[in-house]
Amino acid sequence: MAEPLCRFCLEVEEVTAADTVDHIKAHKGSVELFFEPSNLQSLCKSCHDTHKRRMELGKDVIRFSADGWPV
């Protein structure tokens, strides 16, 4: 409720409702990191399943803003 829009979409000037809570840094079983509010971000399912997944795999993610410039 605190962050209703997808953080990644907002970076490219798109407005998309967030439907996934994502851990910015993987918690890997750490209860403290799992529940740390500053480690959470709101994403849409599309960004979570594509961009965030590629980032976690160590791959480059190039996204473009509405004017066509890379973000």
Side-chain angles (χ1 to χ4, degrees):
M1 289 174 48
E3 192 174 359
L5 301 175
C6 174
R7 190 178 287 189
F8 285 4
C9 287
L10 287 175
E11 289 177 355
V12 294
E13 299 178 12
E14 293 180 15
V15 177
T16 308
D19 54 11
T20 305
V21 178
D22 177 62
H23 292 92
I24 298 168
K25 181 179 177 187
H27 58 83
K28 297 184 181 181
S30 167
V31 175
E32 293 82 18
L33 198 53
F34 185 86
F35 289 108
E36 176 59 43
S38 65
N39 190 41
L40 302 175
Q41 64 183 348
S42 296
L43 299 177
C44 65
K45 181 169 176 32
S46 176
C47 285
H48 181 266
D49 293 351
T50 57
H51 305 306
K52 179 63 188 244
R53 180 75 178 139
R54 289 182 60 83
M55 288 176 186
E56 289 174 344
L57 293 173
K59 297 183 178 182
D60 290 333
V61 177
I62 301 172
R63 295 178 298 136
F64 298 92
S65 65
D67 59 7
W69 289 95
V71 175

